[in-house]
């Protein structure tokens, strides 16, 4: 099963497709967001609407043997756009029917809930002289395309027709509209997620995992944190249903968890625990909570080398090697994160000592791996 580490390198960011007038796209993709705490969107650039990547709905089914479906994170963070921004050159010769046709291509290729923004770009020299006429034409276009006023932007481009560019203030205005549309999309996706009744622990964990990602993408940190805790709680229920921790599960619970492999639970639990610890490190008041959550995570999974002991000695040794390497990687990750947080702390501070203790823990946890034949 593929690792989820690549999705933890940077914060989850909204996926936005920019279509048409490709020379204007760098103004958004390179825009500095030093004044905002939220991560900037992840932009995909398409020169024309025909090149826009068509949305492919999932046909994989429920997959009850998995906590997280194959490529779900890849799909929502790298492929399926929350917002599509269509840039249109706007002048007297622009036909509203042609714009509607271009917009129709985008809508048919997108997910139904995808937000669409229409950016009408005109030369800066024409803005003041045609303001009243533009207002009337934009209103007609908006009604023809069935777009809300907030989803249609009329902006001015500097430079020549061959090399247009957006000023920083204009690019920030477009980006602000994009961020609002993306947040609305992900809030709606979170609301649309439904938890099935009498569902198995892995499917309930999947439900909370999805909602946590959507809440992060909508920049609702408090809701995301609650969902990550709920996800981890359901993973513990899944381990109990698998018969790996006490109390002993009923036969019905064991049947519901049938088919789920321990490795699948471990890879998702690692991801979720790192998210929870990340929220703890975000505030100085909750640093201790982050360490406590990690300790509980390690205590839970350290004895879970194999789902059962019906393996030969060689298989058990190989599994132990991988298991302690997996735990050691998490100690290294936490120690590195703690060092980054406390880089400016005094050398004798309590927090710096805590970082050192995790370095020593890494040495101890590596010992079983070195002793493995």
């Amino acid at each position: 099963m593929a690792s989820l580490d690549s999705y933890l390198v940077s914060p989850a960011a909204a996926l936005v497709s920019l279509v048409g007038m490709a020379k204007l796209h760098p103004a958004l993709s390179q825009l500095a967001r030093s004044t905002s705490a939220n991560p900037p969107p992840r932009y995909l650039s398409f020169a024309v609407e025909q090149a826009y990547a068509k949305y492919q709905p999932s046909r994989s089914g429920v997959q009850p043997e998995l906590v997280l479906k194959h490529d779900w994170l890849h799909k929502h963070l790298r492929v399926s756009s929350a917002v599509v921004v269509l840039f249109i050159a706007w002048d007297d010769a622009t036909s509203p029917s042609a714009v509607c046709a271009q917009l129709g291509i985008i809508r048919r290729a997108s997910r139904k809930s995808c937000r669409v923004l229409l950016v009408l770009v005109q030369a800066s020299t024409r803005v003041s002289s045609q303001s009243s006429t533009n207002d009337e034409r934009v209103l007609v276009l908006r009604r023809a395309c069935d777009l809300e006023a907030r989803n249609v932007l009329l902006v001015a481009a500097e430079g020549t027709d061959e090399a247009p560019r957006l000023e920083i203030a204009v690019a920030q205005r477009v980006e602000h509209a994009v961020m609002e549309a993306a947040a609305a999309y992900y809030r709606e996706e979170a609301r649309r997620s439904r938890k099935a009744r009498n569902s198995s622990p892995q499917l309930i964990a999947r439900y909370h995992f999805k909602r946590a990602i959507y809440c992060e993408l909508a920049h609702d940190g408090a809701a995301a944190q609650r969902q990550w805790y709920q996800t981890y709680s359901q993973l513990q229920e899944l381990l109990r249903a698998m018969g790996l921790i006490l109390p002993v599960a009923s036969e019905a619970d064991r049947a519901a968890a049938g088919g789920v492999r321990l490795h699948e639970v471990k890879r998702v639990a690692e991801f979720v625990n790192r998210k929870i610890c990340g929220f703890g490190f975000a505030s100085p008041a909750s640093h201790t909570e982050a360490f406590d959550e990690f300790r509980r995570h390690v205590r839970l999974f350290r004895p879970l080398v194999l789902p059962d002991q019906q393996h030969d000695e060689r298989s058990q040794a190989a599994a132990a090697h991988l298991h302690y390497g997996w735990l050691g990687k998490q100690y290294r990750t936490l120690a590195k994160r703690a060092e980054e947080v406390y880089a400016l702390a005094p050398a004798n501070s309590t927090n710096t000592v805590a970082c050192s203790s995790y370095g020593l823990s890494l040495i101890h946890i590596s010992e079983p791996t070195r002793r493995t034949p």
Side-chain angles (χ1 to χ4, degrees):
M1 196 67 63
S3 171
L4 303 176
D5 289 354
S6 61
Y7 300 102
L8 290 165
V9 174
S10 58
L15 188 64
V16 178
S17 291
L18 307 177
V19 182
M21 302 188 71
K23 292 181 180 179
L24 298 178
H25 299 179
L28 290 174
S29 58
Q30 297 173 6
L31 183 63
R33 295 183 52 82
S34 57
T35 59
S36 175
N38 295 328
R42 180 185 179 90
Y43 289 112
L44 302 177
S45 180
F46 302 92
V48 293
E49 65 273 9
Q50 286 82 2
Y52 173 61
K54 186 175 181 180
Y55 170 71
Q56 299 292 337
S58 175
R59 297 182 176 86
S60 57
V62 177
Q63 294 183 335
E65 73 282 2
L66 298 176
V67 176
L68 185 64
K69 283 187 179 182
H70 293 294
D71 298 330
W72 187 88
L73 282 173
H74 176 76
K75 172 184 172 182
H76 289 274
L77 299 181
R78 304 287 189 268
V79 178
S80 182
S81 298
V83 181
V84 179
V85 184
L86 178 60
F87 291 87
I88 297 291
W90 187 247
D91 53 34
D92 294 338
T94 305
S95 168
S97 59
V99 176
C100 289
Q102 290 177 284
L103 200 62
I105 295 174
I106 295 297
R107 282 171 165 164
R108 287 191 294 272
S110 304
R111 196 174 187 178
K112 288 184 178 181
S113 55
C114 176
R115 300 300 199 269
V116 179
L117 295 184
L118 185 61
V119 179
L120 306 176
V121 184
Q122 60 180 346
S124 59
T125 56
R126 303 174 185 171
V127 175
S128 59
S129 61
Q130 299 179 344
S131 58
S132 60
T133 305
N134 271 327
D135 290 342
E136 294 176 2
R137 294 182 65 216
V138 170
L139 180 59
V140 171
L141 176 63
R142 185 167 61 81
R143 289 175 176 173
C145 296
D146 192 23
L147 287 172
E148 297 180 15
R150 62 183 176 180
N151 293 333
V152 180
L153 300 178
L154 182 62
V155 302
E158 304 294 332
T160 64
D161 292 341
E162 292 75 19
R165 69 179 187 278
L166 297 178
E167 295 293 337
I168 293 179
V170 176
Q172 288 175 336
R173 179 187 166 204
V174 174
E175 185 187 54
H176 179 72
V178 167
M179 295 292 286
E180 284 191 342
Y185 168 85
Y186 289 117
R187 284 195 297 267
E188 181 63 24
E189 289 298 298
R191 284 193 292 267
R192 290 176 63 238
S193 298
R194 291 289 183 267
K195 180 167 59 175
R197 294 182 179 179
N198 302 322
S199 191
S200 57
Q202 63 268 30
L203 297 184
I204 300 176
R206 181 190 299 177
Y207 160 79
H208 289 295
F209 188 104
K210 290 180 177 181
R211 293 205 60 173
I213 290 292
Y214 290 141
C215 289
E216 281 194 9
L217 292 169
H219 306 303
D220 189 348
Q225 188 175 16
R226 289 194 300 270
Q227 294 299 325
W228 287 127
Y229 275 108
Q230 291 285 345
T231 305
Y232 201 90
S233 175
Q234 287 301 316
L235 292 176
Q236 291 176 300
E237 286 298 312
L238 178 57
L239 291 173
R240 186 182 68 83
M242 294 168 65
L244 298 176
I245 62 175
L246 297 175
V248 178
S250 65
E251 289 298 326
D253 290 339
R254 292 178 69 91
V260 180
R261 300 179 63 184
L262 177 59
H263 176 70
E264 168 69 5
V265 183
K266 289 165 70 173
R267 75 171 187 131
V268 177
E270 177 188 359
F271 184 97
V272 175
N273 180 255
R274 284 178 63 177
K275 286 287 188 180
I276 292 174
C277 291
F279 279 104
F281 282 124
S283 171
S286 57
H287 288 177
T288 302
E289 182 181 345
F291 286 118
D292 290 341
E293 288 294 336
F294 183 76
R295 291 189 188 99
R296 284 191 285 267
H297 170 69
V298 171
R299 281 200 298 267
L300 176 64
F301 280 95
R302 183 161 187 166
L304 304 182
V305 180
L306 286 168
D308 57 63
Q309 299 302 318
Q310 296 180 3
H311 295 81
D312 58 45
E313 185 176 348
R314 190 179 187 86
S315 297
Q316 292 184 27
H321 181 84
L322 293 175
H323 178 71
Y324 287 109
W326 175 71
L327 289 176
K329 181 190 73 172
Q330 294 175 77
Y331 270 99
R332 285 192 297 272
T333 301
L334 185 77
K336 183 177 179 180
R337 176 66 177 137
E339 286 174 355
E340 293 172 353
V341 172
Y342 302 128
L344 302 179
N348 60 346
S349 69
T350 303
N351 292 329
T352 304
V353 172
C355 295
S356 301
S357 70
Y358 272 89
L360 293 174
S361 298
L362 174 60
I363 296 173
H364 292 308
I365 203 166
S366 299
E367 301 245 346
T369 306
R370 289 197 291 266
R371 290 196 299 266
T372 299

